[in-house]
Structures are given as structure tokens and as C-alpha cells.
Amino acid sequence: MAASCRQVWRWSWCNAPRLGRPAAALRNVTSGPTADPTAGPAQPETAQRQLADMGISETRAGELLRMQPGLRPKQVVAALAELLLLGLEPEPACEALRRNPQILWLPGQRLKERAGLLRRLGLGEGHLEHVTRCCPELFTMSQQRIDALVSVLKDKCLFSGQQVAEIVGSCPRVLQEEPTALEYKFQYAYFRMGIKQRDLVRTKYFQYSMTKIKQRHIFLERLGLYQTPDKKGQTQISNPSVNSILRVSEAEFLAKTAHSSAEEFEVFKKLLAREELEEEEGLRASDEEDSDLSDSDDSGDEKD
């Protein structure tokens, strides 16, 4: 078994010349006695040397080893080694650990399993590196939560498996949304804006906040510059493209798409926020009234 593990590590690093690190360095980390985080304390000097062999600067290595008090140095070395074997360069791997130190506490097998899950979603090495850079929290999220969000995209939003891979690869933070919020974001684009699945993927719609989407879309609606398509998908005017609404700076949006001033837009955003607050309060009051009526009916039934 040990020989088999060493062969896997040797093959991985011999076939990843872009990392430029000697295969023996990681074989020592994974096949030697330091591979077991319960086998006793490791000397910081040993960990520093192993990190250096992986291409980590002395300064960065010191930061990693001090990042989580109580964490054994060998666990830092093992976690970083696993990230490198996933295809990450040393610096992005260190940045992922800095942004989500909880990764350091994960067993190597858990990291491999999570990487496998992301690959099953269609994320190859390039996408996996982008996901790790942008959203290292994905390594410590529960699988149930990820499965629930993927189910929303596939079953409720009707994206294909390839489209889901493109969405997660380009907008990894989509897997941090609440399922109901993710479904609402899709429904808003599909029903209110008339944008189909293919264009939602192509324009990377899911990377934008719901606040930004609604502010710019409703502003254009009230200016008469955007119409919700009818049942046949037709409008009486030519709607501006998603990119000209969302993928540009606010200044460019106002100058080229809305043809309006920054002052007008600021006033509108305040009015919209007030409208939404009043709507939320009205819904809350309605829910409380329904609850009171239900309690009253239950009380009457008990008296009878």
C-alpha cells in the first residue's frame, strides 16, 4: 500500500512540471511518519524545510505555521500538499488557506473527496483553481448544502449539467447562496427580464447581486427602456443586452444605456429601497394577521 501511494505521488508530480518542485519533497510528506497528524508533534524547522521544498517562501511558511494556534505543523504541511496535488500553484494554495484557515483542519481524504465532488460537477483543473481562488469556502461547506444548490440549478432552473459546470466555474459564489434566493434570482431573470438559460450562462448573470440587478433593471423599466416580454417572448421595444446593463460600470450604464444622470439614479435607488421595505412590512403584517385569525379559529374550535 505504501509503495502504491508513493507511486501515485511520484506520478502526480512528474506530470505537473509547471509546479517545478521535486517529487521527493511531497513523497516524504505523505509517505513518511509525518503523514499521521496524531503521531506526535513535528518540529517547526522540519515543517519549514518541507514547505520550502514545495516552493513556499520562508515568510509565507511562517505565516501558515502561525495561522491556527494549536494546529500541528505537520497538518499545515499535509493540507498544503493536498492542495498542490489538486493542481494549484503554491501561491494560490497559500492564499486559499489564508482566506479559509478551516481547510487546515481537514483530513487529506476530506480534501480529496471535496475536489472529487467539484470535478463531478464538471470542473476541470483550470476551473478548480479558479473556484479555489475565488471561493475557498467550498472546501469546508457541507456536501448536503452543495447538493441542494446544484439541485436548484438543475431541477428548478432547468440548466443542463454542462451549464451548471459553467455557472459554478465562472461564478463559484453561487454555491454560497441560499437555495430560495438562488431560485428567486433565476426566476427574476427568466420571468421579469425574459432572459433564457443559455444567455444567463453566457453573460455570467449569477455573479451579480440581486440588489444591483433590480436597481438597474427597474430603473430602465420606469424610464420606458426595458419591457418584460409577452408569452411569445416578444416586446414592443428592443431591450438592452444583459452585459450593457450589468457588466459595465455605473457611469457607463447611466451614460450609454439609461441615458440618465447619477443624481436621478441615486434618488431612484432610495425610493426603490423604501418601496421594498414597505412591501416587506406589509407582507409581515399580513402574515401576522393570518396567524392571529388561525389562532382565533383554533380557540373557537376548542370551546365548541
Side-chain angles (χ1 to χ4, degrees), residues 114-275:
R114 179 49 51 87
L117 171 63
L118 295 175
R119 286 194 177 101
R120 286 195 297 276
L121 292 178
L123 302 177
E125 278 197 9
H127 277 310
L128 190 58
E129 179 166 351
H130 177 66
V131 166
T132 306
R133 280 174 177 269
C134 297
C135 194
E137 294 82 4
L138 291 183
F139 281 96
T140 50
M141 286 174 58
S142 72
Q143 182 168 342
Q144 290 80 2
R145 179 175 172 80
I146 293 177
D147 289 343
L149 288 160
V150 171
S151 177
V152 168
L153 292 172
K154 286 185 175 180
D155 302 332
K156 296 188 176 182
C157 305
L158 303 180
F159 288 106
S160 68
Q162 178 60 37
Q163 287 175 328
V164 170
E166 291 183 46
I167 291 170
V168 176
S170 61
C171 318
R173 293 193 179 279
V174 74
L175 294 180
Q176 290 185 295
E177 299 219 30
E178 290 299 323
T180 52
L182 180 59
E183 185 178 2
Y184 174 74
K185 182 179 281 191
F186 165 77
Q187 290 179 341
Y188 188 90
Y190 191 87
F191 295 108
R192 280 292 308 277
M193 300 179 73
I195 309 170
K196 304 303 181 185
Q197 283 91 340
R198 180 183 59 185
D199 291 326
L200 290 175
V201 175
R202 182 179 56 80
T203 58
K204 301 179 181 179
Y205 165 85
F206 288 98
Q207 70 179 305
Y208 304 108
S209 70
M210 202 64 237
T211 298
K212 178 178 180 177
I213 292 167
K214 293 181 73 173
Q215 284 177 345
R216 295 193 180 188
H217 167 246
I218 297 175
F219 187 57
L220 292 174
E221 266 192 335
R222 295 188 182 179
L223 289 173
L225 299 175
Y226 201 105
Q227 284 186 351
T228 299
D230 59 23
K231 293 181 179 179
K232 296 181 179 180
Q234 299 176 340
T235 58
Q236 295 179 350
I237 63 173
S238 179
N239 285 334
S241 68
V242 176
N243 285 340
S244 68
I245 298 173
L246 300 174
R247 203 173 181 177
V248 295
S249 66
E250 184 173 297
E252 186 173 345
F253 164 73
L254 291 171
K256 297 183 178 181
T257 306
H259 307 292
S260 189
S261 68
E263 291 76 13
E264 288 176 295
F265 192 42
E266 285 303 315
V267 170
F268 165 78
K269 285 191 285 188
K270 292 176 182 178
L271 289 174
L272 182 63
R274 187 185 305 167
E275 289 174 14

Side-chain angles (χ1 to χ4, degrees), residues 21 29 46-57 60-62 64-65 73 76-77 80:
R21 305 312 307 166
V29 171
T46 301
Q48 285 268 10
R49 186 165 56 253
Q50 290 174 324
L51 291 172
D53 288 340
M54 289 186 233
I56 309 302
S57 69
R60 179 67 88 174
L64 290 174
L65 293 171
V76 176
V77 174
L80 183 63

Side-chain angles (χ1 to χ4, degrees), residues 3-19:
S4 174
C5 290
R6 285 195 293 271
Q7 288 174 356
V8 171
W9 284 90
R10 188 180 299 113
W11 182 90
S12 300
W13 282 86
C14 287
N15 284 273
R18 63 193 178 88
L19 296 178

